[in-house]
Amino acid sequence: MAISTNGRISLYCFCVNLTVLFVPCLGYISRTLKLVVEDYWIVMTVVYGLGIQLHIFIVYKNRGYAYKVAWRSGVLGFFLGSGILITRLSSGNWGIFGFYMSLLSFFHFSEYLTTAIINPKSLSIDSFLLNHSKEYGIAAACSWFEFCIECWLFPGLKQLPWCTLVGLILCILGELIRKGAMFTAGTNFNHIIQSHREEGHVLVTHGLYNWCRHPSYVGWFWWSVGTQVVLCNPICTVVYAVASWRFFKQRVVEEEITLLNFFGEDYVNYQRRVPTGIPYIQGYRLEL
């Protein structure tokens, strides 16, 4: 599959900012700055990131939509690289948060890039899912707040390697399921529930869709819960699981109403044969 022009721009800006990973290897500068600042790599990373963003601004500032794509991709690449550096070089529990930063950044960038590959006609700034909803932003902020408070009051709670490993497995499986669903659906996939049937829109029932009706939601559900398990956030793990379940319960019903309108009895038969994939969510039932 060919990648769209904006997809290539996003990939370029993401990768350029990802080179922040090589900052600690800048020889003489690193040795000199280390004499002045203990965590010298933090200063170098920030300065390097600002330099790359300046480069993106100069190159794309007069290109409208392309600039919006460029700086968002650049920031996500910077946070992915910075997260890896924090995981490797920071002391204490902050390495776990760096791990989380990397997972979060990769998820949002891969949403845009995958859409640019499989369905460029539906590509928009919203494809990053960065502005998914106010609730999504509040949930993220609450998870950061819980992590910081528990690091301060109960630092031992964050030193559970087995918990972080379980969270990582959930995130990886969630990513693989979601992106696998997106590639399987191809041009039939869209981040927005469609109100009318586009030309060429078909009912996808093969691959992952042969196992569950909404694999993209299944992947996102387990990924979101996994991010809180990675952080060893007991409160947000429960809250995320409940909030995500309620969100996808409503989303599945809304989507299945449109799919029943599009495909009628074919979709009814598909519902009877294949579950939604998310525990205790049945979807919208209509008997013909």
Side-chain angles (χ1 to χ4, degrees), residues 102-113:
S102 299
L103 292 168
L104 190 67
S105 302
F106 180 80
F107 173 80
H108 285 287
F109 173 72
S110 63
E111 285 292 305
Y112 186 88
L113 183 63

Side-chain angles (χ1 to χ4, degrees), residues 137-153:
I138 292 171
C142 287
S143 74
W144 307 338
F145 180 75
E146 180 183 351
F147 181 84
C148 292
I149 291 297
E150 290 173 353
C151 274
W152 178 40
L153 297 177

Side-chain angles (χ1 to χ4, degrees), residues 111-112 115 122 126-129 178 182 189-194 217 220 251:
E111 285 292 305
Y112 186 88
T115 305
S122 70
D126 292 339
S127 300
F128 283 106
L129 296 184
R178 181 165 174 82
M182 292 172 72
F189 180 87
N190 199 303
H191 282 110
I192 301 173
I193 296 176
Q194 301 299 290
Y217 294 162
W220 195 356
R251 180 88 171 189

